[in-house]
Amino acid sequence: VLSGCGVYDGTEIHEASAILVHLSRGGAEVQMYAPDVPQMHVIDHSKGQPAEAESRNVLVESARIARGKIASLAKLTTADHDAVIFPGGFGAAKNLSTFAVDGKDCKVNGEVERVLKDFHKAGKPIGLCCISPVLAAKVLSGAEVTVGHEEEEGGKWPYAGTAGAIKELGGKHCVKEVTISFPVNFPHVDAKNKVVTTPAFMCETELHKIFDGIGAMVKNVLKLTGK
């Protein structure tokens, strides 16, 4: 499920690409979706500032990542799929929810909430990375998720405050690494709720470590499908 195209106002493209690579390697068939709604705003990524005169549609922008093969999130039905995965990027906090503005008092897009609840009710796995675990924390009360560490640690975890917000949303936060460490403790698998999360770009680190961490998330999601 995508949220636009570009880290500051949509889907984090590297995360989406990594997920697709690992799903392909795992032999999964993939269908991409995005809500057919306006973006909260448009960011000029070269400046990191809002482009005041622009407006864009989340589904249309997400189609860039999907190479055109995408459908409205309203068409996503649990019966047709074994699992659902949400990449991160600020779009998850701006377009799939209002977390970027409202924090613990945020609202989740109605279709996103429906999808999360339907997959959870059906006992089908849900994968989320980067900031998108806040969606599960808000919608699935008591879900265990990770966004990495709970302290900034000199800038390595610049969004560490999100862990506290997850607790305020009703979720349980578990400290995890972005990639393999000893003892191995990534990603986080909430076996009861079948929710798998990994920090990804919540951490300032090398791209290959983020790629590997996302791979572990995807592998565990596929494992939970039982296929």
Side-chain angles (χ1 to χ4, degrees), residues 4 9 37-44 50-61 64 95:
D9 59 10
V37 296
Q39 290 185 185
M40 184 186 111
H41 60 188
V42 178
I43 296 293
D44 179 338
E52 300 294 347
E54 287 193 51
S55 63
R56 300 187 186 185
N57 177 279
V58 175
L59 177 60
V60 172
E61 289 302 295
R64 294 173 179 272
N95 305 326

Side-chain angles (χ1 to χ4, degrees), residues 55-223:
S55 63
R56 300 187 186 185
N57 177 279
V58 175
L59 177 60
V60 172
E61 289 302 295
S62 298
R64 294 173 179 272
I65 297 174
R67 298 174 61 86
K69 297 178 181 179
I70 195 166
S72 170
L73 187 59
K75 297 181 179 180
L76 172 52
T77 60
T78 308
D80 293 335
H81 301 280
D82 297 313
V84 64
I85 296 179
F86 291 78
F90 279 91
K94 293 178 176 180
N95 305 326
L96 302 189
S97 72
T98 64
F99 180 78
V101 176
D102 299 324
K104 65 180 179 63
D105 298 317
C106 69
K107 295 181 180 179
V108 174
N109 171 277
E111 291 297 335
V112 172
E113 182 172 358
R114 174 188 64 82
V115 168
L116 287 168
K117 287 183 175 179
D118 284 356
F119 273 82
H120 183 255
K121 184 178 179 180
K124 294 184 176 182
I126 300 166
L128 311 103
C129 64
C130 197
I131 190 66
S132 65
V134 300
L135 302 173
K138 175 67 175 181
V139 173
L140 307 176
S141 181
E144 296 180 359
V145 300
T146 189
V147 289
H149 285 207
E150 298 180 357
E151 301 292 336
E152 288 190 21
E153 298 177 22
K156 182 178 180 181
W157 296 92
Y159 310 106
T162 306
I166 283 172
K167 297 173 185 177
E168 292 180 316
L169 287 169
K172 178 181 178 182
H173 185 260
C174 303
V175 174
K176 295 285 179 175
E177 300 299 330
V178 71
T179 191
I180 194 165
S181 62
F182 298 96
V184 177
N185 68 346
F186 81 107
H188 183 70
V189 179
D190 178 350
K192 178 183 177 182
N193 291 299
K194 291 192 175 181
V195 174
V196 187
T197 50
T198 192
F201 279 98
M202 298 298 277
C203 182
E204 288 288 339
T205 190
E206 295 90 346
L207 182 59
H208 71 277
K209 292 182 179 179
I210 292 167
F211 182 88
D212 290 347
I214 289 173
M217 181 267 286
V218 170
K219 184 176 181 179
N220 276 276
V221 167
L222 294 179
K223 183 179 179 181

Side-chain angles (χ1 to χ4, degrees), residues 8-33:
Y8 297 125
D9 59 10
T11 303
E12 212 302 319
I13 298 171
H14 297 293
E15 291 177 8
S17 179
I19 289 168
L20 291 169
V21 169
H22 289 297
L23 284 170
S24 176
R25 184 170 288 156
E29 295 183 21
V30 178
Q31 172 64 56
M32 283 175 269
Y33 297 89

